[in-house]
């Protein structure tokens, strides 16, 4: 009779069976290589994106709140949207955005910006939106925005501008919205709005407007571009005393009759053409008169030099009688 132990399979068969039933280890896939900072799959390479910024598909370069003290280098020529708000960019030197000529939008809010060079925006001919709000600008150099011929929206709100020269804005034929809120403007210079033929939205609240002759162009523009009642009611004069808190839209053109009328283009032509001509004519007349006087004087001197000179008679010695040709003494001699 076989023993009970002989009915069990051999030990090696049991081990083989357990080995076959045990799960095989599955090798985990190798982790993907770390993506460089500021880039993702399908986004621009690191050489097209500044090191301190994050770039996204579609050409957006996000440098917001990075404590940057200057415009970062390495901007891609394909960048369309540059966010530089909430940094420490206090100045913009010439050619600050060189190489980024395809930019459509530039945000420079809340940088403590104090100075912008007249050639800072050179090369940005395609730019459509520019936000310089919430900075510390007190003045703008002539020609600052001249290169931005495609600009449609400009914000200068929340600065310290007390005066805005027409030469600073220049001719912006496509500008539709301009924000000048919360500055120190008391009036707009004549000719400023004339260079903005497409302007439709002009935001002016928060300025110490003075109702005087200098405000005439702005009041005329406001009458031609009606605005919502709440906004129109907040455009008030703060001086002079008798007109304090008067709405700007309440002044008709007849209120400025006492002001000197601006010169018409024809008058300017007369001044700038006839003025120099009359000066040159008077100068030529004075020169001709001087030549005539000099010639007459020289002629008189020559005539005097040619005239014979009369010799004066010799005086007789004292006490001697004058000689008499008929006297006997004279005859005897």
């Amino acid at each position: 009779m076989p023993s009970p132990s002989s009915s069990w399979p051999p030990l090696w068969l049991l081990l083989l069976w357990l080995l076959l039933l045990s799960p095989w280890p599955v090798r985990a896939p190798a982790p993907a290589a770390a993506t460089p900072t500021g880039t993702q799959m399908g986004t621009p390479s690191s050489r097209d994106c500044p090191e301190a910024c994050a770039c996204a598909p579609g050409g957006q370069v996000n440098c917001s709140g990075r404590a940057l003290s200057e415009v970062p280098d390495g901007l891609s020529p394909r960048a369309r949207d540059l966010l530089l708000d909430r940094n420490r960019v206090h100045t913009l030197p010439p050619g600050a955005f060189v190489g980024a000529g395809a930019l459509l939008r530039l945000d420079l809010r809340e940088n403590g910006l104090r100075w912008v060079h007249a050639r800072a925006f050179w090369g940005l001919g395609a730019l459509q939106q520019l936000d310089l709000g919430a900075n510390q600008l007190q003045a703008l150099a002539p020609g600052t925005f001249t290169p931005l011929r495609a600009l449609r929206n400009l914000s200068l709100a929340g600065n310290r501008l007390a005066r805005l020269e027409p030469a600073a804005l220049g001719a912006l034929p496509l500008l539709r919205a301009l924000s000048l809120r919360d500055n120190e403007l008391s009036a707009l210079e004549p000719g400023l709005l004339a260079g903005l033929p497409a302007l439709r939205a002009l935001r002016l609240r928060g300025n110490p407007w003075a109702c005087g002759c200098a405000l005439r162009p702005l009041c005329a523009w406001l009458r031609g571009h009606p605005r919502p009642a709440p906004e129109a009611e907040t455009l008030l004069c703060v001086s002079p005393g008798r007109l304090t808190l008067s709405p700007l839209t309440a002044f008709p053109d007849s209120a400025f009759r006492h002001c000197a009328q601006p010169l018409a283009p024809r008058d300017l032509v007369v001044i700038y053409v006839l003025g120099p001509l009359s000066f040159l004519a008077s100068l030529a007349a004075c020169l001709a008169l001087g030549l005539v006087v000099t010639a007459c004087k020289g002629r008189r001197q020559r005539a005097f030099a040619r005239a014979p000179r009369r010799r004066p008679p010799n005086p007789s010695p004292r006490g001697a009688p004058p000689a008499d040709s008929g006297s006997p003494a004279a005859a005897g001699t």
Side-chain angles (χ1 to χ4, degrees):
M1 183 175 180
S3 61
S5 61
S6 61
S7 62
W8 292 92
L11 181 61
W12 64 272
L13 289 176
L14 292 174
L15 294 175
L16 180 60
W17 183 68
L18 292 173
L19 184 62
L20 291 173
L21 292 179
S22 63
W24 290 90
V26 180
R27 178 174 297 178
T35 304
T37 304
T39 59
Q40 299 176 356
M41 185 68 69
T43 61
S45 61
S46 58
R47 65 182 179 180
D48 291 334
C49 187
E51 183 178 356
C53 305
C55 298
Q60 186 186 71
V61 183
N62 190 345
C63 308
S64 301
R66 307 297 175 98
L68 299 176
S69 60
E70 59 184 9
V71 178
D73 296 328
L75 290 174
S76 170
R78 295 183 295 273
R80 298 290 187 272
D81 194 349
L82 177 57
L83 306 179
L84 273 171
D85 55 298
R86 294 178 288 113
N87 282 288
R88 301 172 185 171
V89 183
H90 294 166
T91 62
L92 289 179
F97 304 93
V98 63
L103 277 180
L104 300 177
R105 180 191 175 205
L106 176 58
D107 191 346
L108 285 163
R109 291 173 298 161
E110 301 180 38
N111 271 279
L113 192 61
R114 299 187 182 94
W115 178 73
V116 177
H117 194 276
R119 296 191 296 273
F121 299 118
W122 278 26
L124 300 183
L127 194 67
Q128 298 181 7
Q129 299 183 38
L130 175 60
D131 196 338
L132 294 170
N135 284 294
Q136 300 178 21
L137 295 172
Q138 298 183 11
L140 291 168
T144 299
F145 303 113
T146 300
L148 309 180
R149 301 287 293 176
L151 198 63
R152 288 169 169 78
N153 194 319
L154 173 61
S155 176
L156 295 169
N159 281 279
R160 301 178 180 178
L161 295 172
R163 189 174 183 179
L164 189 59
E165 296 287 346
L169 288 182
L172 300 175
L174 302 180
L175 189 69
R176 298 185 61 86
L178 173 62
S179 179
L180 298 174
R181 290 179 176 174
D182 302 319
N183 278 279
E184 299 176 8
L185 297 168
S186 59
L188 293 184
E189 296 295 322
L192 180 71
L193 298 175
L196 310 174
L199 190 64
R200 295 296 178 269
L202 181 60
R203 299 173 179 88
L204 302 167
R205 289 187 300 179
N207 285 282
W209 301 109
C211 286
C213 294
L215 211 61
R216 183 175 191 169
L218 177 56
C219 292
W221 190 93
L222 291 174
R223 288 194 303 272
H225 300 79
R227 49 210 314 110
E231 185 175 356
E233 292 171 358
T234 58
L235 299 180
L236 306 175
C237 296
V238 299
S239 63
R242 62 185 180 86
L243 296 175
T244 300
L245 302 183
S246 299
L248 301 189
T249 54
F251 291 95
D253 193 63
S254 58
F256 299 94
R257 288 178 180 174
H258 64 284
C259 302
Q261 292 287 343
L263 293 176
R266 183 178 178 180
D267 299 330
L268 293 175
V269 171
V270 171
I271 292 174
Y272 287 113
V273 174
L274 295 185
L277 290 178
S278 60
F279 172 75
L280 293 176
S282 61
L283 187 63
C286 292
L287 182 61
L289 182 60
L291 292 176
V292 170
V293 171
T294 304
C296 292
K297 191 174 181 180
R299 187 175 179 180
R300 289 180 60 186
Q301 289 179 351
R302 288 193 298 271
F304 181 76
R306 292 175 183 175
R309 297 182 179 180
R310 295 180 180 180
R311 299 180 63 183
N314 293 329
S316 302
R318 289 185 178 181
D324 189 1
S325 57
S327 63
T333 60

